[in-house]
């Protein structure tokens, strides 16, 4: 195996030497042309005259002019519901064997088509991620080690003509045969649908494995590591997996979890961020000297960028049809954009709900800054999740606590609006003291918030609770483990129900 590790590392280094990163704007134009060409004879392609768009001097501009913007509800109502009824050639040629069940932070269940072309795209993006490891100066023996991929269950739901599951479970169920010897916890354990049972099995089997890297959402990775450590009576996870070197994160921002995660380690890890959604594998971190991720610009996904300003959004947080929409070539750095994608699964100008910022246009690198519906602006606060995460890091330092989860809402109290925060931490602190410090931090970093505090936002309150209460709520009302994420912003009625639930656990 040592020889194999050396060979694999050399192969990756050689591949990186003989290949170069694509020029983003050119690659994106080619991706759109290929999407339009392949889908031109589908019902969607005929409705929107893809053949004519391809014949224009500027297919990108023609595409943006003639194809409407969609969110999930619109695309499902107009097109995708036919797919669940068994129709083919609707938004992409042929049919599909899988539907990804969305497990994001909204309460609405979604069924996203996953075509064979999308599975192929995800595999190719995974290869790009592996090949980019040449930039992280990892030793040869790393490539001999096993990979713990903690995703959703690979035990998919059987329907008449397709299977359903979360995208991580679908991807794991389709891993190449050559990779299965490296993949842990293995298909048998990954098929267990009950989260607690699955983690207990991992803890029992852990001594038999030689894990070199982890992959999964931070909160669930941390819970799994704690169970392995407790079950095997360890001090840190490196007592049982001494060769653990890399953590590939995704789904949510890693920074709020790093402090608590690193208490479980004996030595530092290399962190690599990824952007895998139910709609596709969108981006991956390709170099160690940045926390940004490079959009995968040449692999079946066309990206568009909508400036995240009031005039481009409706009251429900959706992009207006007359919004300003830019290609990657036209977009600027350091601006908040709503991301639209068109893909080889037949998503067209589709708003996935994330806001991003381009940090390096030449490299097509981005950061996720939040969610369109998790942007708090009820009374002019204009707070993004990115700003909230930064403020929580400040609170961690000021109060010497670990904050892993939080949620906020604008609620009415005595006829006036206040912001109410519920913060999941590792120890008790005074909620009003934290609220005051949080209010000051947000006022210092966001001038719109500061103005709102002097006018329509009449107060800030905070409750600090054990972080486990968040996970119990998730287990009772959503689903524990896998790709499930905790919301950062709730509407008032949802928040009040959540607040009542967690108070009942105290």
């Amino acid at each position: 195996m040592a020889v194999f590790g050396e060979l694999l590392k050399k192969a990756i280094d050689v591949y990186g030497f003989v290949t170069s990163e694509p020029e983003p704007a050119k690659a994106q134009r080619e991706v759109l042309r290929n999407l339009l060409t392949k889908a031109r004879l589908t019902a969607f392609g005929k409705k929107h005259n893809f053949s004519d768009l391809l014949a224009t001097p500027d297919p990108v501009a023609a595409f943006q002019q003639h194809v409407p913007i969609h969110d999930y509800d619109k695309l499902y109502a107009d097109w995708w519901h036919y797919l669940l009824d068994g129709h083919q050639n609707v938004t992409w040629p042929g049919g599909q064997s899988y539907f990804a069940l969305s497990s994001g932070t909204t309460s609405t269940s979604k069924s996203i088509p996953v075509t064979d072309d999308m599975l192929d795209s995800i595999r190719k993006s995974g290869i790009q991620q592996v090949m980019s490891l040449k930039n992280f100066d990892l030793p040869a023996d790393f490539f001999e080690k096993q990979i713990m991929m903690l995703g959703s269950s690979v035990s998919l739901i059987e329907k008449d003509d397709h299977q359903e599951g979360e995208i991580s479970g679908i991807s794991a169920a389709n891993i190449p045969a050559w990779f299965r010897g490296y993949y842990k916890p293995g298909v048998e354990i990954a098929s267990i649908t009950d989260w607690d049972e699955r983690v207990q099995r991992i803890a029992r089997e852990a001594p038999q494995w030689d894990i070199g890297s982890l992959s999964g959402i931070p909160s669930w990775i941390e819970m799994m590591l704690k169970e392995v450590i407790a079950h095997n009576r360890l001090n840190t996870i490196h007592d049982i997996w001494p060769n653990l070197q890399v953590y590939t994160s995704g789904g949510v921002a890693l920074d709020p979890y790093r402090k608590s995660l690193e208490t479980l380690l004996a030595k530092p890890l290399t962190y690599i961020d990824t952007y895998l959604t139910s709609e596709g594998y969108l981006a991956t971190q390709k170099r160690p000297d940045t926390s940004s991720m490079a959009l995968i610009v040449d692999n079946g996904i066309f990206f568009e960028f909508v400036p995240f300003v009031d005039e481009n959004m409706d009251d429900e947080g959706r992009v207006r049809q007359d919004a300003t929409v830019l290609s990657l070539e036209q977009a600027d750095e350091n601006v908040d954009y709503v991301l639209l994608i068109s893909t080889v699964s037949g998503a067209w100008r589709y708003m996935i709900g994330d806001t991003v910022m381009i940090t390096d246009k030449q490299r097509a690198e981005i950061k996720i800054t939040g969610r369109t519906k998790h942007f708090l602006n009820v009374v002019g606060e204009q707070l993004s999740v990115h700003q909230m995460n930064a403020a929580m890091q400040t609170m961690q330092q000021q109060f010497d606590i670990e904050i892993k989860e939080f949620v906020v809402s604008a609620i009415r109290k005595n006829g006036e609006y206040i912001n109410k925060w519920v913060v999941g931490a590792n120890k008790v602190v005074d909620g009003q003291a934290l609220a005051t410090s949080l209010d000051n931090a947000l006022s210092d970093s966001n001038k719109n918030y500061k103005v709102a505090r002097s006018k329509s936002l009449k107060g800030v309150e905070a409750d600090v609770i054990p972080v486990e209460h968040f996970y119990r709520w998730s287990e009772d009302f959503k689903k524990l483990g896998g790709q499930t994420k905790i919301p950062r912003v709730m509407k008032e009625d949802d928040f009040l129900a959540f607040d009542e639930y967690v108070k009942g656990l105290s």
Side-chain angles (χ1 to χ4, degrees), residues 93-119:
Q96 47 282 310
S97 300
Y98 301 97
F99 282 85
L101 301 179
S102 171
S103 56
T105 50
T106 59
S107 58
T108 304
S109 177
K110 301 176 183 178
S111 297
I112 312 293
V114 180
T115 62
D116 290 343
D117 287 328
M118 177 54 72
L119 288 174

Side-chain angles (χ1 to χ4, degrees), residues 139-160:
D141 63 359
F142 168 79
F143 299 96
E144 306 161 18
K145 308 307 177 185
Q146 296 162 331
I147 302 173
M148 169 63 71
M149 298 171 60
L150 191 67
S152 304
S153 172
V154 299
S155 182
L156 305 177
I157 302 168
E158 296 283 347
K159 296 291 186 176
D160 290 339

Side-chain angles (χ1 to χ4, degrees), residues 194-212:
D194 181 85
W195 163 259
D196 291 325
E197 182 183 349
R198 196 187 329 158
V199 171
Q200 289 166 10
R201 279 287 306 277
I202 289 172
R204 292 199 299 269
E205 300 287 340
Q208 304 175 39
W209 303 333
D210 187 6
I211 302 297

Side-chain angles (χ1 to χ4, degrees), residues 76-88 90 96 99:
Y76 178 85
D78 293 350
W79 300 96
W80 278 353
H81 74 276
Y82 292 113
L83 299 174
L84 289 168
D85 293 333
H87 294 278
Q88 298 190 354
V90 179
Q96 47 282 310
F99 282 85

Side-chain angles (χ1 to χ4, degrees), residues 353-396:
D354 288 330
T355 59
V356 303
M357 179 181 292
I358 299 170
T359 57
D360 187 321
K361 186 171 176 179
Q362 185 175 359
R363 292 186 172 98
E365 289 180 342
I366 63 160
K367 286 186 175 181
I368 302 172
T369 56
R371 298 279 293 173
T372 55
K373 294 186 179 181
H374 293 176
F375 180 78
L376 186 62
N377 191 29
V378 175
V379 290
E381 308 97 315
Q382 297 194 33
L383 288 178
S384 70
V385 173
H386 182 66
Q387 293 166 333
M388 296 176 200
N389 284 336
M392 286 301 165
Q393 290 185 57
T394 301
M395 295 305 100
Q396 288 188 127

Side-chain angles (χ1 to χ4, degrees), residues 64 69-70 303-314 317-328 330-332 335-341 349-352 354-358 369 372:
Q64 293 176 328
I69 296 167
H70 296 86
F303 301 97
E304 296 177 88
F305 302 84
V306 181
F308 191 31
V309 293
D310 288 344
E311 53 264 35
N312 285 335
M313 311 300 295
D314 67 17
R318 295 177 299 231
V319 175
R320 298 181 185 275
Q321 291 299 328
D322 62 350
T324 299
V325 185
L326 307 172
S327 65
L328 178 59
Q330 298 165 326
D332 294 319
V335 175
D336 266 334
Y337 291 109
V338 180
L339 188 64
L340 305 181
I341 59 172
R349 309 199 75 202
Y350 177 91
M351 188 186 83
I352 61 174
D354 288 330
T355 59
V356 303
M357 179 181 292
I358 299 170
T369 56
T372 55

